[in-house]
Amino acid sequence: MTQSLTLRRPDDWHLHLRDGAMLKGVLPETARHFARAIIMPNLVPPVVTLAQAEAYRTRILAALPKGAQFEPLMTLYLTESTDPADVAAAAASGLVKAVKLYPAGATTNSHSGVSNFDKVQPVLEKMAEIGLPLCLHGEVTDPWVDIFDREAAFIDTILDPLRRRNPALRVVMEHITTSQGVDYARAGGENLAATITTHHLIINRNHILAGGIKPHYYCLPVAKRESHRLALRKAATSGAARFFLGTDSAPHVDALKEHACGCAGCFTATNTMPLLAHVFEEDGALDRLEAFTSLNGPAFYRLPINQATLTLVKHESAQIFPEKIFTEAGPVTVFNPGFPVHWHVEP
Ligand code: NCD
Ligand code: ZN
């Protein structure tokens, strides 16, 4: 019997589209299945002002394939010199839906991020006042903290104090990877949510490191041990309003992934929806996939849910995903789940 599942069209609440030739190559992969996405601002130079966000949005719209229906939801990259008035104007424009905070040095293109949190307090106060969400890359950057402990340390030493100081601030813990992240998000009340990526539901750190190093599974925050992956699965498949999809699809050309100092990022835009259907079916939660991909995110961001739908069909034959997509910037390897996937998105 063929199984089929129709959902409200999904949104991606954390996406890297890059710019130029890479943007042109990867955007169709997301626009094929997703109606909207929160666009990460970590370009070089970063998207810091409303004017830069408007210009980037125009470049994204220009790179869309003909006929595609896709709305980029823009973010501003928070720096220690961000002007609260510019943030307020950006929110009022309707184009900017969040501000992204990278601790300086935490990940790809984060050197303009925040080191001294006191310096961004006036911006956070303005955001709390106007209800604009803060998207947080939640890892400490202290080189003495073990990389596998950086998320838990961030929650204790930065996130919790920051939220106590700004109780009205609406916060999204981006791409959580630990049971501590799950527990903190679950207990956080109305003003707190968390995104979970596709790949963190599928891989643990053994996939990266056991039996030879697999650079295409390396991303930040790095995948943790199996017990954490299981906690993420439980959270995502629970349907709880706190948790929604942010793929963190983060393309880098193969030459920079397969490198002595390889870039962090997994590229999942191409196959996220079939992979999620597989994961949710495995956990007996297909009826909660729509909450995770299409309902909980808009509710937190106070946006309408999509009217259009997406249908997934389970076939006898496994789907063959492309191994790579070929952009004019170079080839980008598509995330390989390591198991056959029978769910296909209906054209
Ligand atoms: C992202 C990137 O490449 O921009 N990389 C990643 O591993 N997730 C940055 C980020 O979100 O941390
Ligand atoms: Zn990211």
Side-chain angles (χ1 to χ4, degrees):
M1 195 188 69
T2 317
Q3 241 182 307
S4 120
L5 181 68
T6 296
L7 316 167
R8 294 294 181 135
R9 211 154 178 86
D11 302 305
D12 185 349
W13 300 96
H14 182 130
L15 176 67
H16 299 271
L17 285 177
R18 316 301 189 200
D19 214 341
M22 181 65 95
L23 166 65
K24 192 162 163 267
V26 300
L27 178 59
E29 301 299 296
T30 288
R32 194 174 296 135
H33 298 160
F34 292 87
R36 298 172 290 197
I38 283 274
I39 310 300
M40 287 295 127
N42 61 334
L43 304 182
V44 186
V47 179
V48 172
T49 63
L50 169 58
Q52 287 169 319
E54 282 174 330
Y56 185 29
R57 182 174 178 274
T58 303
R59 296 198 297 281
I60 295 169
L61 294 176
L64 271 176
K66 272 214 165 46
Q69 298 279 321
F70 175 76
E71 191 188 351
L73 309 173
M74 307 310 291
T75 61
L76 298 184
Y77 184 120
L78 184 60
T79 73
E80 291 181 1
S81 41
T82 293
D83 177 2
D86 190 57
V87 168
S93 77
L95 298 185
V96 169
K97 299 297 188 210
V99 169
K100 177 69 190 253
L101 190 161
Y102 292 99
T107 187
T108 311
N109 302 334
S110 61
H111 36 266
S112 313
V114 175
S115 306
N116 180 347
F117 284 74
D118 287 338
K119 294 218 173 120
V120 297
Q121 182 58 24
V123 179
L124 301 184
E125 282 168 16
K126 176 53 79 181
M127 289 170 63
E129 182 192 318
I130 63 180
L132 187 67
L134 177 72
C135 296
L136 263 180
H137 183 108
E139 288 189 287
V140 295
T141 53
D142 180 341
W144 298 107
V145 177
D146 188 278
I147 191 166
F148 293 102
D149 297 333
R150 287 180 184 186
E151 181 173 299
F154 182 88
I155 292 169
D156 292 343
T157 63
I158 297 180
L159 176 57
D160 196 58
L162 181 145
R163 291 188 58 246
R164 284 175 196 278
R165 193 169 174 189
N166 301 281
L169 183 64
R170 312 188 67 243
V171 173
V172 185
M173 300 167 69
E174 298 291 295
H175 43 49
I176 56 169
T177 58
T178 58
S179 60
Q180 290 94 332
V182 167
D183 292 345
Y184 191 80
R186 214 179 246 133
E190 292 277 283
N191 288 337
L192 188 65
T195 58
I196 301 178
T197 76
T198 311
H199 50 283
H200 287 116
L201 297 175
I202 294 174
I203 60 167
N204 63 34
R205 63 195 193 181
N206 280 7
H207 292 86
I208 312 171
L209 295 170
I213 192 160
K214 316 293 189 318
H216 295 291
Y217 289 151
Y218 172 62
C219 69
L220 288 170
V222 71
K224 311 295 191 295
R225 62 170 63 241
E226 177 65 359
S227 55
H228 294 293
R229 186 185 73 94
L230 294 176
L232 297 169
R233 289 267 291 228
K234 209 166 159 200
T237 59
S238 71
R242 272 312 150 258
F243 302 104
F244 43 87
L245 174 65
T247 65
D248 194 19
S249 181
H252 295 276
V253 293
D254 284 353
L256 295 177
K257 291 287 296 175
E258 299 163 8
H259 188 277
C261 184
C263 290
C266 296
F267 180 67
T268 54
T270 305
N271 52 2
T272 275
M273 290 309 296
L275 294 182
L276 290 175
H278 179 102
V279 162
F280 277 65
E281 184 185 28
E282 214 167 60
D283 289 10
L286 272 179
D287 58 332
R288 296 193 281 271
L289 179 59
E290 186 180 42
F292 184 64
T293 63
S294 317
L295 306 179
N296 296 347
F300 186 82
Y301 275 91
R302 298 176 175 160
L303 292 169
I305 60 173
N306 296 312
Q307 288 306 312
T309 59
L310 181 95
T311 298
L312 288 145
V313 179
K314 192 177 178 189
H315 289 266
E316 284 288 319
S317 55
Q319 174 159 9
I320 311 295
F321 300 117
E323 192 189 330
K324 299 172 191 297
I325 62 156
F326 294 91
T327 76
E328 284 168 28
V332 175
T333 293
V334 174
F335 178 77
N336 176 358
F339 48 74
V341 178
H342 293 264
W343 288 93
H344 300 234
V345 175
E346 278 221 323

